[in-house]
Amino acid sequence: MQVYPMYIDGRPLTLSARREVINPATGEAFAAVSEAGAAEVDLAVAAARRAFPAWRDLADSAREQAVIRLAEVLEAAMPELMELVTLETGKPLHGLNQVGAGMEVGGAIAWTRATAALSLPVEVVQDNAEARIEIHRRPLGVVASITPWNWPLMIAIWHIMPALRAGNTVLIKPSELTPVATARFVELANAVLPPGVLNLVTGGAEVGAAIASHAGIDKIVFTGSTNTGRRIMASAAGNLKRLTLELGGNDAAIVLPDVDPQTIAPQLFAAAFHNNGQTCACLKRLYVHRSQYDTLCAALADLARSAVVGDGRAAGTELGPLQNPAQLAVVEALAADARAQGGVVLAGGHRLARPGYFYAPTIVSGVSNGCSLVDEEQFGPILPVIVYDDIDEAIRLANDSPNGLGGSVWSDDPARAAEIAARLECGSAWVNTHGAIQPDAPFGGVKQSGIGVEFGVHGLAEYTSIQTLKIMKKP
Ligand code: NAD
């Protein structure tokens, strides 16, 4: 079994303590990584600190070129990285609506190129006979990235690239469930970056906790669950680490009565079920006007029954397994609770009788807020469809959540839908689409879904602090 090394100070490091990596389509191990401890975190932080001054002092154009070289590294390794992403996450190579490992690696390349092209020019707020005042963006120092298991490589790239582009050095700890594609990328990246600029430590929650409390780290960028985000925020207080927290979502979509349910059903289905529902900004609660409710529920149930579920490496697979048995258990418990509360399972509602962590795509009607399937993030292939009678009620129900990542409104009248979308309490609001992200548009959560944004110049700025430089023209 292949063991993927950690990288510290430009050198591979493998420990005797190992953790196996499971293919969720089979339940069997296919690779292993080292299980680090606080000692390896110390070594990686020290390496990143040593590498920081030279990386910071490079010309901006040299860092831009380095990030472009990383895009080329990703591109050259695309088939291998796609295979690793499918093996460790279970997501299909292509998948429903082409959302799969190809999109993950392709997105990683696109985001890397787009981030290379970003810059944060000096702003001048005053320039007269008396003084010139400039606002500079300076890198923070050592940035630690902690990633989840649902889009492991893409999220790693979202963290690493702006951090490096802005002049920081990086330590990344991928999810212990999906460390392999990230480990392979870091290995390839270390062939083109100076030693210590990008370091990798593998391990579980204890390693994450050691990072969160480490005094040698200046910022943490974390994507994962809200509970872990709270723990990181508490531990980060010791040295006032800067934080970007991209946390859980429970996105609502509201369908207005003027839209044809048959037309939008496939788009809604893809928004809810791509990557088997295991995307932070998947559609997770669907509010439908009573006049369209039965037709839309039936159309979604048909789509759920006809979706091709299987091993992500097989041609034609649209949906893979859940990534891990704990998430499968969450989905099973939410389905059981919905049934107990009078929910009607229109499609699915059961595991598949095969090895691995497969669950049939599931549509549940007859539930509303107050049922755990609606109130909690399911992060799996089960969608509650909720009826409403008037739009103010729908908006109230959509906003009745501690989360605030994304939300959408579907209508033939985009201007009216945009007015309704503006009333949703979420960081990204969409009209006639859901979960649509791109490298130049900021993305982040409000309420318990996070702090800060990623992507574009707003995201890049989060890897810097402001230095105000006032130059008096005469002593
Ligand atoms: P998780 O919080 O369980 O784990 C995420 C990472 O945190 C892992 O690397 C884990 O090892 C580490 N970790 C665990 N305990 C830690 C601790 N005490 N201190 C520091 N690190 C610790 O999340 P997950 O189950 O891997 O991911 C699923 C969650 O991520 C969902 O809630 C999903 O909505 C969210 N998510 C959010 C976004 C977004 O952009 N907002 C994107 C993807 C996923």
Side-chain angles (χ1 to χ4, degrees), residues 32-111:
V33 290
S34 298
E35 184 69 20
E40 287 73 34
V41 173
D42 284 344
L43 288 175
V45 172
R49 290 228 78 85
R50 280 194 302 278
F52 173 61
W55 186 251
R56 173 194 63 199
D57 295 341
L58 273 184
D60 189 68
S61 59
R63 279 197 303 270
E64 178 183 354
Q65 286 309 312
V67 175
I68 291 170
R69 276 203 299 284
L70 294 178
E72 291 162 359
V73 161
L74 282 164
E75 216 153 32
M78 187 164 180
E80 179 192 0
L81 292 171
M82 280 174 64
E83 171 91 4
L84 293 178
V85 165
T86 291
L87 281 170
E88 66 185 344
T89 64
K91 71 169 55 99
L93 288 168
H94 299 290
L96 183 69
N97 261 15
Q98 295 298 308
V99 181
M103 175 181 272
E104 176 148 9
V105 183
I109 297 165
W111 253 269

Side-chain angles (χ1 to χ4, degrees), residues 98 121 134 137 195 199 277 298 392 448:
Q98 295 298 308
E134 299 173 347
R137 291 278 177 176
N199 306 277
D392 287 335
Q448 305 294 295

Side-chain angles (χ1 to χ4, degrees), residues 20 24 43 54 71 104 111 130 151 159 260 280 292 299 301 328 336 351 377 381 410:
E20 291 186 333
L43 288 175
E104 176 148 9
W111 253 269
E130 185 201 0
W151 289 93
H159 293 180
D260 173 26
C280 53
Q292 314 281 32
L328 176 57
R351 290 182 69 159
E377 181 185 32
W410 298 71

Side-chain angles (χ1 to χ4, degrees), residues 146-150 155 173-176 204-205 208-209 222-225 228 231-232 246-249 280 377 379 405 443:
I146 302 177
T147 56
W149 47 259
N150 59 338
I155 291 173
K173 188 208 84 67
S175 167
E176 59 274 33
F222 169 75
T223 302
S225 64
T228 305
R231 281 191 208 107
I232 289 175
E246 297 287 1
L247 309 179
C280 53
E377 181 185 32
F379 222 60
L405 193 58
F443 174 73

Side-chain angles (χ1 to χ4, degrees), residues 250 284-287 293 330-345 362-378 382-387 397 400-403:
N250 194 6
K284 292 170 181 158
R285 298 176 284 149
L286 180 58
Y287 295 90
Y293 187 73
V330 167
V331 169
E332 288 188 292
L334 291 175
D337 187 57
R339 279 192 171 102
Q341 300 221 21
V344 181
V345 175
T362 300
I363 303 289
V364 180
S365 67
V367 288
S368 189
N369 293 44
C371 173
S372 59
L373 176 60
V374 179
D375 292 353
E376 293 170 23
E377 181 185 32
Q378 67 274 56
I382 178 167
L383 178 69
V385 191
I386 302 131
V387 70
L397 291 171
D400 174 27
S401 167
N403 293 114

